[in-house]
Amino acid sequence: ALPILDHDSKDLVEENTELQKLELFSQEKDTLVVIEDNEQIRTYIKKIFFADYLVLEAKDGAAGLELIKKYIPDLIISDILMDGINGLDLCKMIMDDAAIKHIPVILLTGDTTPDIMVKSLEQGAIDFLRKPFDKELLTARVKSVLRNKTKLQQYFYKEVTKENIAINISRENKDLLNNCSAV
């Protein structure tokens, strides 16, 4: 027989199970956070990327920011027009937070005003798509952003490694630098 768990214990078990799944998948797949208040669009985006990425979903900016801080994803896809924290404000919050500002953000919107793209880029978004968006275009942009991010990480890793050899630092500090550059 299964033990009877109180509400808090159930939540803890579910959270630990989710964390274990995330740790398992994150070793093999890049992680995306999709923030979209329209459930149909959010589900559609998840279906596009589900096979190749670990996709975490949020229905608004506040919930999305929690996921981002908790799981430090590889990429964020967010709607701009949402109640509460909108996509532009979310982007600014991400860029102002040293722990997460390295995460690239792609913003989506149905707004067709000419300056929305400028505002998106000014707030720190790496890319911008108007809705309705083309599935292949979104997929190509996500792959491109992640590929470029990987190239930058490899470049900086090589530079740090060269620097380590050149300045002959202690083994302990070299391990620390290698671990930092691997993140």
Side-chain angles (χ1 to χ4, degrees):
L2 293 172
I4 298 174
L5 301 172
D6 62 19
H7 181 67
D8 291 336
S9 296
K10 281 184 184 176
D11 289 346
L12 185 60
V13 169
E14 287 175 10
E15 187 171 324
N16 284 338
T17 302
E18 274 304 305
L19 187 57
Q20 288 170 352
K21 287 180 191 174
L22 285 174
E23 287 172 355
L24 174 67
F25 282 115
S26 66
Q27 294 173 8
E28 300 170 16
K29 296 182 176 184
D30 286 328
T31 304
L32 309 180
V33 169
V34 176
I35 307 163
E36 170 64 61
D37 57 353
N38 182 307
E39 186 175 355
Q40 289 177 320
I41 295 173
R42 192 172 65 243
T43 300
Y44 176 66
I45 295 171
K46 183 176 182 175
K47 284 181 182 178
I48 292 171
F49 295 108
F50 184 75
D52 298 318
Y53 304 95
L54 176 61
V55 182
L56 306 174
E57 304 173 63
K59 65 180 179 178
D60 58 46
L65 191 57
E66 282 184 40
L67 284 176
I68 293 162
K69 288 181 176 186
K70 186 173 183 177
Y71 296 109
I72 314 294
D74 298 289
L75 179 81
I76 301 159
I77 300 171
S78 178
D79 186 16
I80 291 179
L81 301 175
M82 298 182 287
D83 290 335
I85 300 173
N86 67 42
L88 294 173
D89 293 340
L90 175 69
C91 205
K92 181 165 179 12
M93 289 175 176
I94 291 166
M95 295 306 131
D96 289 343
D97 187 328
I100 58 176
K101 70 192 245 174
H102 67 281
I103 304 169
V105 178
I106 295 176
L107 292 175
L108 308 172
T109 189
D111 187 338
T112 58
T113 58
D115 66 338
I116 196 69
M117 184 174 187
V118 172
K119 287 180 183 175
S120 299
L121 297 173
E122 286 175 347
Q123 293 302 334
I126 198 155
D127 211 342
F128 169 91
L129 283 172
R130 285 199 172 102
K131 294 182 203 173
F133 54 84
D134 180 73
K135 173 184 167 183
E136 286 76 24
L137 182 58
L138 178 60
T139 303
R141 287 192 174 171
V142 166
K143 286 180 181 179
S144 175
V145 168
L146 291 174
R147 183 176 50 248
N148 289 336
K149 182 180 176 188
T150 300
K151 284 180 184 177
L152 279 172
Q153 286 172 332
Q154 290 171 348
Y155 170 77
F156 284 113
Y157 175 76
K158 286 177 185 175
E159 289 303 309
V160 167
T161 303
K162 285 180 193 173
E163 193 68 26
N164 287 346
I165 293 167
I167 61 174
N168 198 18
I169 63 173
S170 73
R171 178 73 182 155
E172 181 180 298
N173 288 336
K174 188 173 185 175
D175 289 343
L176 176 63
L177 282 172
N178 287 333
N179 287 339
C180 290
S181 63
V183 176

